[in-house]
Amino acid sequence: MSTITISKNLIKYRKRIGISQEKLAEEAGISVGYVSKLERSIPSGTSVSVLLRIADALDITLNDLAYNSETDKSSTTQKPNQRQLNKMLDSLDDETSEVLCKNIINSIKLLKN
């Protein structure tokens, strides 16, 4: 995860859904100035919770925001329910998320049999 990638993705996803810095700031509960700073580079001390609120406001996952989506197209081709599930899993602690993922995988395997 690099600060350049986050900044570029923030701009890309904000423009993709056609919202202003002001609207994003309002929806994420941060200042417009902070959104502007984030789009130029990530200030030291930026919390994951702020990035999660921004991702939520953009209707993307934290992974979409933090990683280069050009190398992994899967996040842009997901169906809405898949994206929602990923966002929900991202919001959980790692252990809970892993348990739920294993249960989902096992359920799908049972359906295929």
Side-chain angles (χ1 to χ4, degrees):
M1 166 173 46
S2 81
T3 59
I4 294 170
T5 300
I6 294 172
S7 296
K8 285 182 178 182
N9 285 343
L10 175 56
I11 294 166
K12 175 178 74 175
Y13 288 113
R14 181 179 61 77
K15 289 184 176 182
R16 182 177 290 169
I17 62 172
I19 64 171
S20 65
Q21 288 182 338
E22 292 80 5
K23 182 68 174 169
L24 176 59
E26 178 185 322
E27 290 187 17
I30 58 177
S31 72
V32 177
Y34 200 60
V35 170
S36 178
K37 284 181 187 176
L38 290 170
E39 288 189 353
R40 287 176 289 179
S41 69
I42 303 300
S44 63
T46 300
S47 70
V48 173
S49 67
V50 167
L51 296 176
L52 280 169
R53 290 197 320 256
I54 290 169
D56 190 49
L58 294 171
D59 195 30
I60 61 175
T61 66
L62 184 57
N63 284 338
D64 291 332
L65 186 60
Y67 295 100
N68 186 354
S69 61
E70 298 308 311
T71 59
D72 179 12
K73 302 279 187 191
S74 64
S75 65
T76 58
T77 59
Q78 290 179 339
K79 296 176 183 154
N81 285 332
Q82 290 171 321
R83 292 183 66 77
Q84 182 179 6
L85 179 59
N86 281 336
K87 283 175 66 174
M88 294 172 85
L89 289 169
D90 282 347
S91 71
L92 300 171
D93 63 88
D94 289 343
E95 185 178 338
T96 303
S97 179
E98 278 301 306
V99 169
L100 286 172
C101 285
K102 287 177 183 177
N103 286 335
I104 291 168
I105 290 167
N106 288 334
S107 295
I108 292 170
K109 286 178 181 178
L110 286 173
L111 285 172
K112 286 187 171 189
N113 289 331

